[in-house]
């Protein structure tokens, strides 16, 4: 149907078609490649993450070995003791497992839905109660609670040891099971308060409660330990006291705020 | 016609065998260039069927159309206007137009 006049034209058409065919395939291939790239990138990152995690674990182990190698005997024992106290070792013993879950009750009309959800404040009260009852080691959803552990709402989750946790919350505490149990079940205590809002709280006493070690990082950026000599040079303990008393008002204010809030809660419960 | 088909096959094979792919930044230029090339090819086919085929017009059209399309695309990206959409729209319309004429000529025969 198409009459091609001379050889010259044929070659040119041939060339043009080669270019066209080439372009079409390249376009199609590239398009597929872009789609694969996104997936590949995610895969690459996952692999990389695993590698880095493995590296980190290996290095942490090495560090432990070196530390174990350098000190021995009494020093080792003391260090183990200090580590246990600081929450750096996994602990096991008698205690309770306390489970908390958000309320399944529907909020009544005009009522604040937030009242039916577990907040940082509720968890803090539980932890505080357990500490008061002599709990020796506490973990929240597998996060060991140490001196610097925060419990704070971030959106729908709770931040503990810089990790986000969500309901249900499982609090494991090692201590006298009876004491811990009754401290939570006090009349007007935490569990009674939760019950009112339909927040499900469940205490189980156990002979074998495991509390994992603290896994996060702790570094002192501002604080420096004061050596014995420096203390003597500073002489009067009054200066030290001044320093701490400066901090006190703020801390007191916080405490009283918390108390007020808890009183409010208790009021709501009655 | 046979030359065109053989050429296409050669091109496709060449494209499949070529390693690598077009970087994503050049993707719009390439797609626009492809549209321009297709448009010229169909235009050439139509001209051939009408008996007005001119080799020089065809080749110059092929090169200039591609360059112009790429230039439009480039200018559009520089000016933050989606010019390449216009190019693709116009070229697409022309392809349809050419195909319609080719179809009619073919049916008339």
């Amino acid at each position: 149907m198409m009459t091609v006049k001379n050889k010259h034209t044929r070659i040119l058409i041939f060339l043009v078609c080669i270019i066209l065919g080439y372009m079409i395939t390249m376009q199609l291939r590239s398009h597929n490649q872009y789609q694969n790239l996104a997936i590949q990138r995610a895969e690459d990152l996952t692999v990389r993450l695993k590698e880095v995690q493995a590296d980190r674990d290996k290095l942490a182990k090495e560090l432990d070995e070196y530390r174990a190698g350098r000190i021995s005997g009494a020093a080792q024992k003391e260090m183990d003791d200090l580590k246990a106290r600081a929450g750096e070792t996994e602990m096991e013993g008698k205690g309770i497992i306390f489970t908390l879950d958000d309320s399944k009750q529907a909020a009544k009309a005009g009522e604040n839905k937030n009242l039916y959800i577990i907040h940082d404040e509720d968890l803090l009260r539980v932890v505080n109660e357990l500490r008061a009852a002599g709990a020796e080691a506490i973990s929240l959803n597998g996060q060991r609670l140490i001196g610097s552990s925060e419990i704070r709402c971030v959106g729908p989750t709770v931040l503990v040891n810089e990790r986000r946790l969500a309901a249900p919350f499982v609090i494991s505490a090692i201590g006298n099971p009876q004491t811990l149990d009754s401290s939570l079940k006090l009349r007007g205590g935490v569990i009674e308060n939760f019950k009112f809002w339909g927040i499900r709280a469940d205490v189980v006493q156990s002979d074998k409660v495991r509390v994992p070690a603290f896994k996060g990082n702790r570094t002192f950026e501002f604080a420096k330990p004061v050596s014995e000599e420096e203390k003597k040079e500073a002489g009067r303990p009054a200066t030290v006291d001044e320093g701490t008393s400066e901090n006190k008002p703020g801390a007191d204010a916080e405490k009283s705020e918390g108390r007020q809030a808890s009183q409010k809660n208790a009021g709501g419960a009655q | 016609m046979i030359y065109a088909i053989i050429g296409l096959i050669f091109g496709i094979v060449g494209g499949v065998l070529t390693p690598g792919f077009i970087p994503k930044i050049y993707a719009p230029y390439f797609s626009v260039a492809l549209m321009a090339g297709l448009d010229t090819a169909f235009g050439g086919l139509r001209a051939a069927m009408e008996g007005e085929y001119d080799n020089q017009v065809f080749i110059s059209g092929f090169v200039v159309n591609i360059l112009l399309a790429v230039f439009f695309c480039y200018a559009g990206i520089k000016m933050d206007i989606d010019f390449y959409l216009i190019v693709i729209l116009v070229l697409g319309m022309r392809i349809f137009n050419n195909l319609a004429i080719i179809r009619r000529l073919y049916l008339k025969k």
Side-chain angles (χ1 to χ4, degrees):
Chain A
M1 55 187 197
M2 206 165 96
T3 48
V4 179
K5 282 154 207 158
N6 55 36
K7 210 178 169 185
H8 208 62
T9 315
R10 284 176 195 168
I11 291 168
L12 277 172
I13 289 175
F14 183 61
L15 281 176
V16 164
C17 284
I18 286 181
I19 294 170
L20 266 183
Y22 185 76
M23 281 169 85
I24 291 169
T25 25
M26 281 307 271
Q27 177 77 13
L28 288 176
R29 275 187 51 214
S30 301
H31 182 68
N32 288 340
Q33 198 74 33
Y34 300 147
Q35 286 177 335
N36 288 343
L37 263 185
I39 303 163
Q40 263 178 15
R41 176 128 180 86
E43 277 172 3
D44 282 353
L45 285 176
T46 323
V47 171
R48 181 109 187 85
L49 179 68
K50 273 190 187 145
E51 278 174 11
V52 171
Q53 276 175 344
D55 260 11
R56 182 201 60 189
D57 291 346
K58 215 183 99 194
L59 287 172
K61 218 173 157 190
E62 257 178 49
L63 188 65
D64 276 352
E65 274 167 21
Y66 285 134
R67 274 184 185 154
R70 265 181 55 190
I71 44 176
S72 57
Q76 176 69 46
K77 214 175 163 192
E78 196 181 332
M79 189 167 135
D80 285 347
D81 190 44
L82 284 173
K83 268 176 106 174
R85 272 195 244 170
E88 301 253 344
T89 40
E90 197 176 352
M91 304 292 251
E92 196 187 60
K94 274 190 195 173
I96 58 156
I97 295 167
F98 183 47
T99 317
L100 269 174
D101 203 350
D102 287 339
S103 176
K104 284 271 192 297
Q105 278 179 26
K108 285 165 206 144
E111 236 176 12
N112 189 355
K113 277 181 196 149
N114 280 331
L115 290 171
Y116 293 87
I117 306 174
I118 300 166
H119 290 280
D120 49 356
E121 217 172 66
D122 303 323
L123 293 170
L124 276 167
R125 284 183 65 204
V126 172
V127 169
N128 198 29
E129 205 68 56
L130 289 172
R131 280 188 172 149
E136 285 161 10
I138 306 175
S139 74
L140 175 51
N141 280 16
Q143 286 299 318
R144 178 69 170 267
L145 296 180
I146 57 163
S148 61
S149 295
E150 76 282 17
I151 298 181
R152 188 183 192 289
C153 275
V154 272
T157 54
V158 172
L159 198 70
V160 175
N161 288 349
E162 289 169 11
R163 254 162 235 252
R164 283 148 184 266
L165 308 177
F169 295 101
V170 180
I171 299 171
S172 312
I174 297 177
N176 185 343
Q178 284 295 332
T179 323
L180 295 177
D181 188 84
S182 45
S183 77
L184 294 172
K185 287 180 177 163
L186 276 177
R187 190 166 286 274
V190 277
I191 289 187
E192 212 176 272
N193 199 0
F194 288 146
K195 284 266 157 68
F196 181 79
W197 298 110
I199 289 172
R200 280 164 301 160
D202 183 33
V203 189
V204 180
Q205 295 187 23
S206 167
D207 280 346
K208 252 194 174 181
V209 177
R210 270 193 175 223
V211 173
F214 176 73
K215 291 184 207 85
N217 244 329
R218 275 190 289 197
T219 45
F220 289 110
E221 199 181 332
F222 301 105
K224 258 189 279 174
V226 181
S227 67
E228 287 298 320
E229 288 129 47
E230 276 176 305
K231 266 189 219 164
K232 270 171 205 158
E233 270 172 42
R236 306 175 299 279
T239 49
V240 181
D241 273 350
E242 256 170 46
T244 48
S245 67
E246 259 173 42
N247 288 332
K248 261 185 182 169
D252 271 350
E254 257 179 24
K255 263 185 212 157
S256 62
E257 234 171 71
R259 209 176 296 138
Q260 274 167 8
S262 66
Q263 273 166 1
K264 233 183 273 166
N265 275 356
Q270 279 153 15
Chain B
M1 194 68 180
I2 213 94
Y3 285 92
I5 291 165
I6 293 170
L8 266 181
I9 291 167
F10 266 63
I12 288 168
V13 170
V16 170
L17 292 181
T18 316
F21 60 95
I22 306 150
K24 195 150 192 184
I25 3 160
Y26 300 124
Y29 303 112
F30 202 81
S31 54
V32 156
L34 179 61
M35 283 297 271
L38 277 177
D39 172 56
T40 319
F42 282 117
L45 190 58
R46 172 192 155 190
M49 289 186 83
E50 284 173 338
E52 289 167 2
Y53 180 78
D54 184 342
N55 206 20
Q56 279 173 349
V57 170
F58 179 64
I59 294 301
S60 64
F62 186 74
V63 175
V64 171
N65 275 0
I66 286 181
L67 289 180
L68 198 64
V70 169
F71 172 73
F72 256 111
C73 188
Y74 173 75
I77 285 171
K78 282 283 159 225
M79 287 189 274
D80 221 1
I81 306 168
D82 287 342
F83 260 160
Y84 75 97
L85 286 178
I86 301 170
V87 175
I88 286 180
L89 189 76
V90 170
L91 291 175
M93 276 167 72
R94 279 182 52 166
I95 289 173
F96 272 106
N97 219 358
N98 282 335
L99 271 175
I101 291 166
I102 290 167
R103 202 183 65 235
R104 260 168 230 160
L105 285 173
Y106 187 72
L107 288 174
K108 250 187 224 170
K109 265 187 192 170

